[in-house]
Amino acid sequence: MADTTLPFGTFEGTDAHEFVPGVWLNAVGGEQVLLCKVTYEPGKEVPRHSHDQTEQVMYILEGEVTITIEDETRSLRAGDTVVINRGLEHELHSGPGVTFMEALAPVPLDHVPDRERDLVLGPDGGATHVER
């Protein structure tokens, strides 16, 4: 996302940010929603956590990931989706590796690698964004 004065950008040629060891993301957000492309290296996981103020919607592009939301566990593959409502505890693990797109709203600033590069802000300047 080279120029945040314009609403157009690309993840191509943009280095991904290592969110946690072995989990990489590219992100672009506006005032109310963040879109991330997330890649897990084989065998990587994100431990149990919740987003108290943010809802998360995921679409699996390739690979496989096991997701536990509260006490229900499912394996997801390419074409599958999941909605994680705010406040629900969840964890993710990918044995073979996975790439997915996720949308989060409102924007959780801990998922934004570079606020100058990755946010396109309008008149409210990101007033609805949330810190963890």
Side-chain angles (χ1 to χ4, degrees), residues 34-78:
L34 183 71
L35 179 67
C36 300
K37 180 180 179 184
V38 183
T39 301
Y40 283 50
E41 295 173 1
K44 297 303 176 180
E45 63 186 9
V46 171
R48 196 164 188 82
H49 66 285
S50 65
H51 308 276
D52 293 334
Q53 299 175 21
T54 302
E55 185 167 69
Q56 182 174 8
V57 178
M58 299 167 56
Y59 174 76
I60 311 304
L61 296 170
E62 62 184 13
E64 183 177 345
V65 64
T66 300
I67 301 178
T68 300
I69 303 172
E70 296 290 310
D71 60 359
E72 186 172 350
T73 300
R74 298 272 177 102
S75 290
L76 304 178
R77 294 174 184 79

Side-chain angles (χ1 to χ4, degrees), residues 1-112:
M1 313 312 305
D3 183 352
T4 58
T5 62
L6 298 173
F8 306 103
T10 182
F11 290 153
E12 299 302 317
T14 302
D15 291 335
H17 168 73
E18 192 169 24
F19 185 65
V20 298
V23 176
W24 300 86
L25 69 83
N26 292 91
V28 61
E31 292 185 354
Q32 297 183 31
V33 67
L34 183 71
L35 179 67
C36 300
K37 180 180 179 184
V38 183
T39 301
Y40 283 50
E41 295 173 1
K44 297 303 176 180
E45 63 186 9
V46 171
R48 196 164 188 82
H49 66 285
S50 65
H51 308 276
D52 293 334
Q53 299 175 21
T54 302
E55 185 167 69
Q56 182 174 8
V57 178
M58 299 167 56
Y59 174 76
I60 311 304
L61 296 170
E62 62 184 13
E64 183 177 345
V65 64
T66 300
I67 301 178
T68 300
I69 303 172
E70 296 290 310
D71 60 359
E72 186 172 350
T73 300
R74 298 272 177 102
S75 290
L76 304 178
R77 294 174 184 79
D80 291 340
T81 63
V82 63
V83 175
I84 305 169
N85 295 117
R86 60 187 151 178
L88 295 181
E89 289 192 348
H90 57 285
E91 59 190 85
L92 299 89
H93 177 268
S94 181
V98 68
T99 300
F100 57 85
M101 299 298 294
E102 69 178 356
L104 301 110
V107 175
L109 290 173
D110 66 327
H111 281 60
V112 180

